[in-house]
Amino acid sequence: MMKQFDAPKGEIAVIETTMGTMKAMFFPEDAPKCVENWLTHAKNGYYDGLIFHRVIKDFMIQTGDPEGTGMGGESIWGHGIADEYSKNLYHFRGAVCMAKSSLPNSIGSQFYIVQGVEVGADLQKQMRDGGWPSEAVEAYAKAGGYPYLDQRYTVIGQVFEGLEVVEAISKVPTGRADRPKEDVKILSIRVEEV
């Protein structure tokens, strides 16, 4: 099985939201700067009280913008940081990933959690033909996700408990710009060692 489904080790995040609690593990060996950025923000309380400003069913839930518009936020260094793609990490359901603009080195504080779609036989074949490792294709077949974003956005972690919360948030009614009609918030994030 892929490392995203291994038992959590190291630092994990307990993410309390208005719709329930999720727990995520991280992969600093594959995305060191992006994981350091996210965990430092979490430890400093940067994400506490922020809304999920963009929610798209069968895709992802996005947060991390103190302005709540999708246009704000910055890295802990005060400037955008580069993508850290890894052949070890994929956009499986529950993947925690860094959002960015179309510009290079534009990762700041925003992140999304993949809700994703079922990965059926046709898409599995396309993935195999496109060069995805068979182990990744099999994991997508089991877990679902959004393989279209692989090697285009940085995966930093994986929700290992509370996927039902991701599912619930993904189903809230939304309005313009995919913003939930009623705010769904991160209440707090606690970083623990396991």
Side-chain angles (χ1 to χ4, degrees), residues 159-187:
V159 171
F160 65 89
E161 191 175 302
L163 266 176
E164 70 279 0
V165 177
V166 177
E167 292 294 326
I169 295 171
S170 78
K171 293 175 183 158
V172 300
T174 56
R176 212 169 97 219
D178 303 308
R179 184 176 174 140
K181 291 183 177 177
E182 290 186 25
D183 286 351
V184 179
K185 291 184 179 180
I186 294 174
L187 299 174

Side-chain angles (χ1 to χ4, degrees), residues 28-77:
E29 62 281 2
D30 292 287
K33 276 196 89 129
C34 288
V35 170
E36 178 186 0
N37 179 55
W38 195 97
L39 287 172
T40 301
H41 271 325
K43 290 172 188 174
N44 292 339
Y46 185 93
Y47 294 126
D48 297 356
L50 300 189
I51 63 168
F52 286 86
H53 63 269
R54 188 170 177 230
V55 170
I56 304 174
K57 187 179 179 308
D58 297 328
F59 181 26
M60 59 86 205
I61 59 176
Q62 186 169 331
T63 184
D65 176 6
E67 295 174 16
T69 63
M71 304 299 287
E74 62 182 15
S75 75
I76 58 173
W77 297 283

Side-chain angles (χ1 to χ4, degrees), residues 119-129 137 148:
V119 177
D122 288 348
L123 183 50
Q124 290 174 44
K125 181 183 182 322
Q126 289 174 29
M127 291 167 65
R128 281 192 185 89
D129 293 347
V137 176
Y148 310 101

Side-chain angles (χ1 to χ4, degrees), residues 4-175:
Q4 281 171 262
F5 304 107
D6 289 349
K9 63 178 194 246
E11 290 183 302
I12 66 158
V14 180
I15 305 166
E16 304 274 356
T17 76
T18 51
M19 293 187 73
T21 302
M22 301 175 259
K23 292 183 180 179
M25 60 183 176
F26 298 90
F27 306 102
E29 62 281 2
D30 292 287
K33 276 196 89 129
C34 288
V35 170
E36 178 186 0
N37 179 55
W38 195 97
L39 287 172
T40 301
H41 271 325
K43 290 172 188 174
N44 292 339
Y46 185 93
Y47 294 126
D48 297 356
L50 300 189
I51 63 168
F52 286 86
H53 63 269
R54 188 170 177 230
V55 170
I56 304 174
K57 187 179 179 308
D58 297 328
F59 181 26
M60 59 86 205
I61 59 176
Q62 186 169 331
T63 184
D65 176 6
E67 295 174 16
T69 63
M71 304 299 287
E74 62 182 15
S75 75
I76 58 173
W77 297 283
H79 57 77
I81 56 177
D83 290 299
E84 294 178 300
Y85 303 132
S86 170
K87 295 278 189 193
N88 297 321
L89 302 174
Y90 296 86
H91 281 77
F92 301 128
R93 187 183 315 270
V96 181
C97 315
M98 297 307 296
K100 64 178 182 174
S101 75
S102 59
L103 299 172
N105 304 321
S106 61
I107 293 173
S109 59
Q110 292 187 45
F111 67 97
Y112 61 93
I113 302 172
V114 175
Q115 188 248 333
V117 294
E118 300 303 318
V119 177
D122 288 348
L123 183 50
Q124 290 174 44
K125 181 183 182 322
Q126 289 174 29
M127 291 167 65
R128 281 192 185 89
D129 293 347
W132 269 260
S134 59
E135 188 182 18
V137 176
E138 289 164 23
Y140 268 118
K142 272 187 176 169
Y146 211 80
Y148 310 101
L149 299 181
D150 288 341
Q151 303 305 307
R152 294 173 60 198
Y153 288 83
T154 301
V155 177
I156 63 167
Q158 181 72 35
V159 171
F160 65 89
E161 191 175 302
L163 266 176
E164 70 279 0
V165 177
V166 177
E167 292 294 326
I169 295 171
S170 78
K171 293 175 183 158
V172 300
T174 56

